[in-house]
Amino acid sequence: MKVKVSHEVPLQLLSQSEEFNDYDYCLPHLLDQFPTYEAYFREAKKKGRYIIMDNSLHELGEAYDTSRLLHWVSELEPNEFIVPDVWENAAISVRNARTWASVELPEGVNKVAVVQGKSYTDFATSYQSYKWFGYKKIAFSYGASWFQECFQHPNPYVAKMMGRLKTINNLYKNNIISDFDKVHLLGCNLPQEFLYYKDFKFIESIDTSNPVMHGLKGIRYSEGGLLHKDKEKIDENFTRKITPKQIEDILYNTRMFRKINNL
């Protein structure tokens, strides 16, 4: 299976992003703020581009307003919609997923649930619960504190990168994740992480703004990736004017991202 990759970009690069993105990753709160963003996604839908719509938890600290999420899912009919979850709270995320499992969405919109928690048990029980609820695709975020706890390393970015990998590998070894599952990886701590998933058949898609955010800072990937991470979020830089040099650095990083990870 070819892993689909998408890098979120500032407003200025939306159209150009089609040159390096396999699909479009939509942040719904931005649809209500920027008519140009809305227009892009309406056109992307007309052109038949594959669209995954997030719930904006990472950007806002909590999932976007339910009524607005339902509005935009109805309007854009994305191929996938990530149902609302709660950061590091397994119980409420599972409860939300159970509720959303029965919410009627437009035909062709596939629901995705995000595993949250603070322990391996949380991740295992949540993943199993989502499958029982009927979810055909499940996502893992990149920033859970558990990942750093389960893989000790002096560099916290390496720890979280390897901690997510270790958690997913253990779920696979314990037959909780199967080769026939579909998994989405939300973001990353370090761009080279995805190389280590190449033998997992169940990884279907990735989204990360990492190549873009570091390009905006003038930071180019090395052949081995990075050992640090810029903490700014894409929506905090959404309307900034981008220079030709920054565009050059962003495009370089998007190419290097695929090279490093053999994608």
Side-chain angles (χ1 to χ4, degrees):
M1 178 192 302
K2 181 182 183 296
V3 178
K4 297 192 293 289
V5 177
S6 185
H7 304 301
E8 300 90 332
V9 298
L11 198 58
Q12 184 180 328
L13 289 181
L14 269 179
S15 296
Q16 192 171 357
S17 69
E18 295 182 8
E19 298 173 11
F20 52 79
N21 280 341
D22 298 324
Y23 69 93
D24 292 315
Y25 195 82
C26 179
L27 299 173
H29 71 291
L30 298 179
L31 294 168
D32 280 327
Q33 296 178 31
F34 300 100
T36 305
Y37 191 70
E38 175 191 344
Y40 172 83
F41 276 95
R42 290 189 182 278
E43 183 62 23
K45 181 66 179 179
K46 289 180 182 178
K47 292 193 293 188
R49 296 229 356 129
Y50 199 91
I51 298 172
I52 297 180
M53 183 180 289
D54 195 59
N55 63 53
S56 294
L57 167 67
H58 179 65
E59 291 71 27
L60 302 178
E62 61 182 10
Y64 196 40
D65 178 75
T66 298
S67 64
R68 298 309 296 163
L69 290 175
L70 288 170
H71 168 77
W72 287 117
V73 170
S74 178
E75 283 290 306
L76 294 178
E77 298 185 7
N79 301 84
E80 299 177 25
F81 169 59
I82 299 176
V83 304
D85 53 314
V86 177
W87 181 246
E88 291 191 313
N89 192 316
I92 298 180
S93 295
V94 168
R95 187 181 69 193
N96 284 357
R98 182 171 60 242
T99 299
W100 277 88
S102 60
V103 173
E104 187 173 343
L105 299 181
E107 185 177 358
V109 178
N110 297 305
K111 300 170 189 173
V112 181
V114 181
V115 179
Q116 294 286 0
K118 295 184 177 180
S119 68
Y120 176 78
T121 300
D122 282 347
F123 278 79
T125 55
S126 295
Y127 193 94
Q128 289 173 314
S129 295
Y130 295 159
K131 292 181 76 170
W132 292 334
F133 298 156
Y135 285 87
K136 304 302 182 186
K137 189 170 184 178
I138 297 172
F140 290 83
S141 67
Y142 73 89
S145 57
W146 159 250
F147 298 148
Q148 191 170 349
E149 292 175 27
C150 78
F151 191 94
Q152 299 296 310
H153 193 280
N155 182 323
Y157 304 115
V158 172
K160 284 191 173 183
M161 174 184 79
M162 297 306 295
R164 176 163 70 169
L165 175 65
K166 181 180 178 180
T167 299
I168 291 174
N169 183 59
N170 285 339
L171 291 170
Y172 180 67
K173 283 171 55 180
N174 293 326
N175 297 315
I176 294 171
I177 297 179
S178 81
D179 284 331
F180 304 102
D181 289 353
K182 295 180 179 180
V183 166
H184 178 84
L185 297 176
L186 292 158
C188 66
N189 279 283
L190 299 174
Q192 61 269 29
E193 175 184 354
F194 305 105
L195 175 65
Y196 303 106
Y197 291 94
K198 65 183 180 65
D199 294 321
F200 289 136
K201 299 177 182 178
F202 51 82
I203 302 297
E204 185 177 68
S205 53
I206 296 165
D207 81 274
T208 175
S209 62
N210 193 283
V212 178
M213 294 308 304
H214 288 92
L216 288 174
K217 299 288 184 180
I219 300 169
R220 288 192 170 201
Y221 290 169
S222 72
E223 291 287 336
L226 296 173
L227 290 175
H228 67 279
K229 175 183 172 67
D230 185 86
K231 293 185 177 181
E232 288 189 29
K233 300 174 183 176
I234 193 66
D235 62 332
E236 297 170 343
N237 294 270
F238 196 61
T239 58
R240 69 181 293 174
K241 183 174 175 56
I242 306 171
T243 67
K245 176 61 167 61
Q246 288 173 315
I247 294 175
E248 184 180 320
D249 289 339
I250 288 169
L251 294 177
Y252 176 86
N253 283 348
T254 60
R255 292 191 298 270
M256 281 297 294
F257 181 89
R258 291 182 182 266
K259 180 180 178 181
I260 292 167
N261 292 296
N262 194 28
L263 294 171

